[in-house]
Every structure is written in C-alpha cells, then in structure tokens.
Amino acid sequence: DLALESNPSDHPRASTIFLSKSQTDVREKRKSNHINHVSPGQLTKKYSSCSTIFIDDSTVSQPNLRSTIKCVTLAIFYHIKNRDSDRSLDIFDEKSHPLTREEVPDDYYKHDPDHKHIYRFVRTLFSAAQLTAECAIVTLVYLERLLTYAEIDICPSNWKRIVLGAILLASKVWDDQAVWNVDYCQILKDITVEDMNEMERHFLELLQFNINVPASVYAKYYFDLRSLADDNNLSFLLEPLSKERAQKLEAISRLCEDKYKDLSKAAMRRSFSADNLVGMRRSTAILS
C-alpha cells in the first residue's frame, strides 16, 4: 500500500515525477533572473476584465491536442535532462533495435534531445495515426509507470523506443479505434512488426500488465501538465468568450446541475426508505 501511494501513476495524491524534475530548472531560471535583474519582458498573457472574459479551448475532458502534445513532450524532455542515472534495458536501446536504417552514431547515448526534437517525433506519430489528446496524457502515465516499475531511466539511448511503446499501448487501451502494430510500421517504415510485438510484450510485462488509469490519476496528470506549461511560459491559446459559447456553457452547466439534483433526490429517497425499513423492523421486534 505504501509503494502504491508513492507511485504517481497509480495514486492520485502522489506528485508526478515530471513536475518534480522540472522544478529544478524553474527555480534556477527564476534565481538567475533575480540575480541578473532580468526583466520578464512584455506581458503577453491575456487577463479577463469586466467587459471581456478569456478562456482556452482545453478542458480535462477535451484537451487541446497541440498544446497537450507540447506539454507531454516537455515533460519527457525534463525526464531525460534531469534523470538520476542511465539505467536501461536492451529492448529499448536504439543501437540494438534501431528505428531507421540510418547508422546510429557511436556517441548516441551522450547527446540529450531538445524539446523540439521530441515534439516532432511524437507529433509525427500522433498526426499519422490520428490519435487524441487524451491518448497523449495516458502515454505519459504509462511512461512514468514504466520508469517506476522497471526502475530504469529514460535517456538519449532509449527515449524513442520507450515513448513509442507507451504511445502504442495508450492508443490500444484508450482510443475506440486502436491502431495496429503494422500501422506503426507504415509510419516508421524501417521497423518490423516482430520488433513492435516484442517491444509491446516487454512493455506490458514490465508494467505487470497494470494498464488501468483511474480518472483521478488522469486528472492529476492533466492539471500538472498545465502547471508545467505555466512554469515554462507555454501558454494555452486564449480567446474571448463569445455570446454563443457562453450560452452553450450555461446550458451544459444547467444540465449538469439538474443531473446532480436528481441524483441527490434519489439518494435521499433511498435513505428515507432505508430509515423506514429499520423503523418497521424495530416496531415488529417490540410487538413480538
């Protein structure tokens, strides 16, 4: 139970690993700006006023795809940059199992990929396979679960195959229309189906076949990704709240409010019926 509560991919109260790893850089950046008296520059963030309300189009139930992928790849970047060690497994090593026919350099394990490189890799997969933003969040959950369960690190030598394995699994578990392994071979044309199958099998075994993602864990990762975006000036696109969208939000809120009222009334009726039943049994017992 203690191990479960300390694992962020299983327990909603445990802090996500990526947010913890990013804080080192955030604190250093703020400290450097303070010491060097660096101005934050012109404020580009929009703020609501009495006449205008700004909202973004990303919610926990319907995240914005582009912004979510940017945040997830930034989380992966911090995992690699601030890793504790270089523990890995052969099945994820790009030298042993290359994704392309291009020769892997001998010093491939020394150079950390930048955020743009990771983003392009993930964006290509999501675009070609037509995956959803929710799938990106589940991908990050599986990635952190793998690192915790298998006690390995994501590093320059294995990050592509680990990310690919997490995306492959998340797309099958989360999306209604799963992408088959052979479909990924059409995207990454130099990888074989046998290699994909073997990697998926190892990934599942290392996860101990725990592919369940509770709603509370999913929500925690979504909001921690938004915190990561704020810390790195990676803002979500804000737009003025239009009259039509305000009316739509009001209608949705009213519908949810009526739904919860009905649930509350039903619960009260059940409670009242249970109290009456207990009272009748007591009366029968006394008369007996």
Side-chain angles (χ1 to χ4, degrees):
D1 292 340
L2 290 174
L4 177 66
E5 291 189 7
S6 63
N7 190 339
S9 64
D10 288 322
H11 200 278
R13 288 199 295 268
S15 301
T16 52
I17 303 174
F18 72 85
L19 195 61
S20 301
K21 288 185 177 296
S22 69
Q23 292 308 302
T24 303
D25 287 47
V26 171
R27 285 192 295 267
E28 288 296 324
K29 188 184 299 182
R30 290 173 180 170
K31 182 179 178 181
S32 176
N33 289 343
H34 177 73
I35 293 174
N36 298 316
H37 305 285
V38 176
S39 172
Q42 184 179 2
L43 294 176
T44 57
K45 188 174 181 179
K46 299 176 181 178
Y47 293 91
S48 300
S49 64
C50 296
S51 59
T52 307
I53 297 177
F54 290 99
I55 60 173
D56 60 59
D57 64 346
S58 183
T59 63
V60 68
S61 59
Q62 292 183 328
N64 177 275
L65 178 61
R66 184 170 178 270
S67 299
T68 302
I69 292 178
K70 276 192 174 183
C71 292
V72 169
T73 51
L74 185 61
I76 296 171
F77 166 77
Y78 278 120
H79 261 291
I80 299 172
K81 184 176 184 294
N82 296 326
R83 62 189 182 275
D84 298 323
S85 184
D86 289 305
R87 299 170 297 176
S88 187
L89 295 170
D90 180 71
I91 189 63
F92 299 121
D93 191 278
E94 200 173 340
K95 187 77 169 179
S96 303
H97 303 274
L99 297 178
T100 65
R101 293 179 181 177
E102 297 179 7
E103 186 177 355
V104 180
D106 293 334
D107 60 346
Y108 70 108
Y109 58 90
K110 295 181 180 179
H111 305 290
D112 292 354
D114 58 19
H115 178 216
K116 290 182 179 179
H117 187 188
I118 302 172
Y119 174 77
R120 284 194 296 268
F121 178 76
V122 175
R123 179 66 182 177
T124 300
L125 292 174
F126 269 73
S127 178
Q130 297 183 345
L131 303 178
T132 62
E134 296 90 340
C135 184
I137 298 174
V138 177
T139 294
L140 185 59
V141 175
Y142 286 159
L143 187 146
E144 293 207 339
R145 187 171 292 175
L146 175 75
L147 301 183
T148 306
Y149 280 31
E151 296 182 348
I152 61 176
D153 302 282
I154 184 167
C155 50
S157 63
N158 64 16
W159 74 268
K160 283 186 179 180
R161 290 181 61 85
I162 287 180
V163 171
L164 176 60
I167 292 174
L168 171 66
L169 192 58
S171 65
K172 289 186 175 182
V173 174
W174 188 264
D175 284 349
D176 294 331
Q177 296 180 344
V179 182
W180 297 94
N181 291 8
V182 67
D183 296 324
Y184 286 99
C185 295
Q186 298 297 322
I187 303 170
L188 302 169
K189 298 185 182 298
D190 296 329
I191 192 171
T192 64
V193 179
E194 291 76 18
D195 186 16
M196 293 284 288
N197 294 341
E198 185 74 3
M199 183 173 62
E200 182 184 14
R201 183 177 66 81
H202 276 82
F203 207 108
L204 280 167
E205 289 177 351
L206 292 169
L207 290 185
Q208 302 171 24
F209 296 92
N210 179 15
I211 57 175
N212 180 48
V213 179
S216 54
V217 170
Y218 172 89
K220 176 188 66 177
Y221 272 79
Y222 169 80
F223 288 111
D224 277 6
L225 283 169
R226 293 200 65 130
S227 298
L228 181 71
D230 289 339
D231 290 340
N232 290 270
N233 298 320
L234 190 65
S235 59
F236 286 67
L237 182 63
L238 295 174
E239 294 181 352
L241 179 63
S242 63
K243 181 180 178 181
E244 292 76 16
R245 190 169 184 187
Q247 291 173 340
K248 185 178 179 181
L249 288 173
E250 186 178 1
I252 295 173
S253 299
R254 191 180 298 113
L255 184 65
C256 292
E257 186 179 0
D258 293 341
K259 179 182 176 181
Y260 287 120
K261 282 181 179 179
D262 292 340
L263 290 173
S264 179
K265 288 179 181 178
M268 289 179 66
R269 284 196 295 269
R270 287 195 297 269
S271 177
F272 181 73
S273 300
D275 290 342
N276 285 345
L277 181 61
V278 172
M280 290 174 62
R281 287 178 176 173
R282 286 178 179 173
S283 299
T284 304
I286 292 173
L287 290 173
S288 301

